[in-house]
């Protein structure tokens, strides 16, 4: 049985009814299944069913959701950005960043095995650091001191001891 078969795949949208339906419609357009709820009993039922992999809501409801079940939550409020309207600095309007919101949804909707987590990023960084060349000043110092420029041919002392060969 694959992990995909048992992994919950629906997105819980806990917002006022009109907003929840609008977000659920946008998610459906992108091929995501969602459950739009607007009351606490509906949230409780949806979370009890274990069909939801993560939730979309606003800041005041995050604690409520996490107290019912510990699932990842997307705070919808962070995708609204204030921008001044053309009338002057006193009036501000908010613009919804739909592309950033969908990128977050796409990331969370991926199976957990295919996500690049912090450990993967650290491993990629360390591999990149291993492949870097030495700085020019270090190469010049090695040449002046008569040291070999490459590490080829160097032996680990511990490996010769382990193989049983005598040391000089």
């Amino acid at each position: 049985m694959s992990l995909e078969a048992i992994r919950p795949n629906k997105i819980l949208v806990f917002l006022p009814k009109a907003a929840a339906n609008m977000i659920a419609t946008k998610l459906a357009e992108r091929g995501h299944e969602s459950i739009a709820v607007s009351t606490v009993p509906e949230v409780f039922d949806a979370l009890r069913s274990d069909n939801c992999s993560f939730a979309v809501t606003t800041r005041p409801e995050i604690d409520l959701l996490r107290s019912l079940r510990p699932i990842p939550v997307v705070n919808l409020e962070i995708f609204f950005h204030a921008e001044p309207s053309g009338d002057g600095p006193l009036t501000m309007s908010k613009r919804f960043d739909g592309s950033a919101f969908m990128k977050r949804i796409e990331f969370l909707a991926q199976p957990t095995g295919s996500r690049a987590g912090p450990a993967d990023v650290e491993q990629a960084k360390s591999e990149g650091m291993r492949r870097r060349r030495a700085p020019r000043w270090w190469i010049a110092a090695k040449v002046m001191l008569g040291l070999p420029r490459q590490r080829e041919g160097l032996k680990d002392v511990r490996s010769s001891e382990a193989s049983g060969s005598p040391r000089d």
Side-chain angles (χ1 to χ4, degrees):
M1 178 179 256
S2 72
L3 196 59
E4 282 293 317
I6 59 173
R7 186 178 176 275
N9 57 0
K10 292 185 180 178
I11 302 167
L12 176 66
V13 182
F14 180 40
L15 296 167
K17 194 169 223 33
N21 290 333
M22 184 181 72
I23 296 291
T25 302
K26 293 294 181 188
L27 292 173
E29 288 173 2
R30 298 283 182 115
H32 299 287
E33 289 185 69
S34 61
I35 301 170
V37 297
S38 57
T39 65
V40 174
E42 290 174 327
V43 167
F44 185 74
D45 290 341
L47 290 177
R48 192 172 34 159
S49 70
D50 286 338
N51 287 334
C52 301
S53 55
F54 63 95
V56 175
T57 192
T58 55
R59 187 173 298 127
E61 284 80 20
I62 291 174
D63 288 337
L64 171 69
L65 287 174
R66 288 193 174 145
S67 68
L68 295 175
R69 185 169 148 224
I71 62 173
V73 178
V74 176
N75 181 0
L76 191 64
E77 294 173 4
I78 67 169
F79 298 102
F80 284 94
H81 305 289
E83 61 181 26
S85 63
D87 299 341
L90 296 177
T91 56
M92 299 289 276
S93 64
K94 290 200 174 196
R95 182 183 60 83
F96 181 69
D97 189 353
S99 64
F101 174 71
M102 288 311 296
K103 283 180 186 176
R104 180 73 53 91
I105 297 297
E106 294 294 332
F107 174 76
L108 289 173
Q110 291 178 10
T112 54
S114 64
R115 291 185 199 164
D120 298 332
V121 172
E122 280 300 317
Q123 181 180 5
K125 283 183 185 176
S126 65
E127 287 174 1
M129 292 172 80
R130 277 188 235 133
R131 284 186 252 131
R132 285 195 319 203
R133 294 179 37 161
R136 277 194 243 158
W137 66 268
W138 180 248
I139 294 170
K142 287 172 80 173
V143 168
M144 288 180 70
L145 294 171
L147 298 172
R149 294 182 80 182
Q150 302 293 328
R151 295 197 67 166
E152 296 171 13
L154 296 177
K155 293 182 182 176
D156 186 6
V157 176
R158 293 173 289 179
S159 63
S160 63
E161 288 176 357
S163 64
S165 63
R167 284 195 341 208
D168 293 326

